[in-house]
Amino acid sequence: MQRLPAEWFAGDATAVAPELVGKLWRINGRMLRITEVEAYTQDDPASHSYRGRTARNAVMFGPPGRLYVYLIYGIHHCANVVTGAEGDGQAVLIRGVEGCSGPGRVAKLAGLDRSADGRRFDALDDGWRPAEPLVVSPRIGVSKAADLPRRWLVG
DNA sequence: CAACAGATTCTCT
DNA sequence: GAGAATCTGTTGT
């Protein structure tokens, strides 16, 4: 069992995202197996960072390996991990964990809200790997750049 | 300052 | 399959 250092998240979101699937996420005393993720980069019209830094997405432009939690539709929270170099404005959205599917539900299960924004992302590698190749597909609920295959999940 | 779309999910039909 | 709940950033008057 090895903890993933901040540098582990320093790569491009599209490279880090598929690697993150299967890792263990330690949050609020729980261990969650990540099963589904999506990548968002700054040049992506669907990304919050696309139009530059704001008070809301400031964490995305900070150092990698931190949590970016935002409120969506005034109701649900979504949890992301910041990737890339500081200032890149990249993140990987955690869309699903073992036994729980949907970013809003994942954030609720993890007990996250805006107060958790910017906290360290604590991930562990216990050696487990998906038995089959990951399924790659376009992202869910995205209207811009909807054709980009930037979603990865355990198949 | 008003209008609107959005990385969602639950409920009712 | 449609609608509600209701926050945030962007765009237009």
Side-chain angles (χ1 to χ4, degrees), chain A residues 9-155:
Chain A
F9 298 94
D12 192 89
T14 54
V16 173
E19 288 298 314
L20 200 54
V21 175
K23 297 295 185 291
L24 285 174
W25 180 19
R26 182 162 54 192
I27 179 71
N28 287 335
R30 298 168 189 274
M31 291 292 264
L32 306 174
R33 176 84 63 190
I34 298 171
T35 58
E36 182 177 343
V37 298
E38 284 179 1
Y40 290 88
T41 53
Q42 202 197 355
D43 60 348
D44 176 3
S47 172
H48 285 176
S49 57
Y50 184 62
R51 292 168 211 290
R53 176 180 182 143
T54 68
R56 177 214 212 180
N57 65 21
V59 172
M60 285 185 82
F61 292 86
R66 307 241 305 254
L67 269 173
Y68 167 46
V69 183
Y70 67 92
L71 183 61
I72 187 73
Y73 300 125
I75 302 277
H76 303 285
H77 290 278
C78 293
N80 305 247
V81 195
V82 178
T83 64
E86 187 162 349
D88 279 1
Q90 301 186 0
V92 173
L93 171 68
I94 312 295
R95 275 200 65 88
V97 298
E98 203 166 67
C100 180
S101 162
R105 310 177 81 181
V106 168
K108 183 182 178 186
L109 178 68
L112 296 176
D113 59 25
R114 280 291 280 167
S115 70
D117 194 43
R119 271 165 59 182
R120 200 173 103 268
F121 184 81
D122 199 6
L124 302 168
D125 183 357
D126 67 346
W128 186 88
R129 291 289 183 283
E132 306 185 23
L134 294 182
V135 174
V136 184
S137 86
R139 293 169 297 188
I140 304 298
V142 176
S143 57
K144 296 162 188 164
D147 54 324
L148 293 180
R150 292 194 171 181
R151 170 175 176 244
W152 294 265
L153 62 147
V154 175

